[in-house]
Amino acid sequence: MDIKTVGLASDHAGFALKQFVKQYLDEKGIPYKDYGTDTDASCDYSDYGHRLATAVENGEVYPGIGICGSGEGINMTLNKHQGIRSALAWMPEIARLSRQHNNANVLVMPGRFIDNDMARNIMDEFLTTDFEGGRHQRRIDKIPLKPEK
């Protein structure tokens, strides 16, 4: 994967894990930009998910990492954007396959359901796995909605 600057976003339930993600990225020497939230005070995942998705679509950051309690809400928000292929991963194998087969450009993790060691293993796979292309590209090309003629 060709990492530019990793974009980060979380809600309050993902805040603690996002702090660990920052530490992990610092250890790896990978730059990042945090789109919020900045505290563990209750907030809406969608506010921060949209910010991250827009930044990935605009090429400001690549890839992105989003976190909320279950991972579901922020993942749904991210995938509303046509240029986003966000993958919810709770184990390393899913992160690897989301890159190999789906060319995922955002990783989502469930902050309330994985520990830091699992998050590290998931990020290791996601950030080092390349897209295979081939038959998978044809499938990815069919994901964005096309206006009807």
Side-chain angles (χ1 to χ4, degrees):
M1 173 184 279
D2 229 0
I3 298 172
K4 182 177 180 175
T5 295
V6 176
L8 304 176
S10 75
D11 68 356
H12 58 284
F15 181 73
L17 184 58
K18 185 175 66 172
Q19 297 308 103
F20 172 75
V21 169
K22 289 179 181 182
Q23 176 187 333
Y24 167 90
L25 294 171
D26 284 339
E27 289 170 7
K28 299 279 185 184
I30 299 171
Y32 58 86
K33 182 168 183 183
D34 189 346
Y35 293 92
T37 186
D38 298 323
T39 73
D40 61 2
S42 182
C43 62
D44 300 330
Y45 54 77
S46 51
D47 294 338
Y48 305 104
H50 286 304
R51 290 179 190 171
L52 174 58
T54 299
V56 172
E57 287 179 313
N58 292 340
E60 183 179 326
V61 296
Y62 178 84
I65 298 175
I67 308 165
C68 71
S70 67
E72 296 290 356
I74 201 164
N75 194 47
M76 290 176 190
T77 299
L78 289 157
N79 278 316
K80 291 293 182 187
H81 291 254
Q82 289 295 300
I84 298 300
R85 289 175 309 283
S86 177
L88 173 57
W90 58 93
M91 58 193 297
E93 296 82 359
I94 292 172
R96 179 175 35 79
L97 288 171
S98 74
R99 287 287 310 134
Q100 281 181 334
H101 294 182
N102 310 116
N103 201 14
N105 53 11
V106 179
L107 167 66
V108 170
M109 295 186 288
R112 290 183 173 153
F113 294 92
I114 61 171
D115 62 19
N116 290 350
D117 287 337
M118 182 59 72
R120 176 182 299 281
N121 293 335
I122 290 168
M123 289 184 291
D124 283 345
E125 289 294 324
F126 188 83
L127 296 174
T128 61
T129 301
D130 291 322
F131 176 52
E132 285 183 355
R135 70 187 186 280
H136 303 295
Q137 185 62 54
R138 180 183 75 245
R139 296 167 183 160
I140 290 168
D141 290 342
K142 295 179 180 181
I143 293 173
L145 292 173
K146 307 267 194 277
E148 293 188 30
K149 296 179 182 181

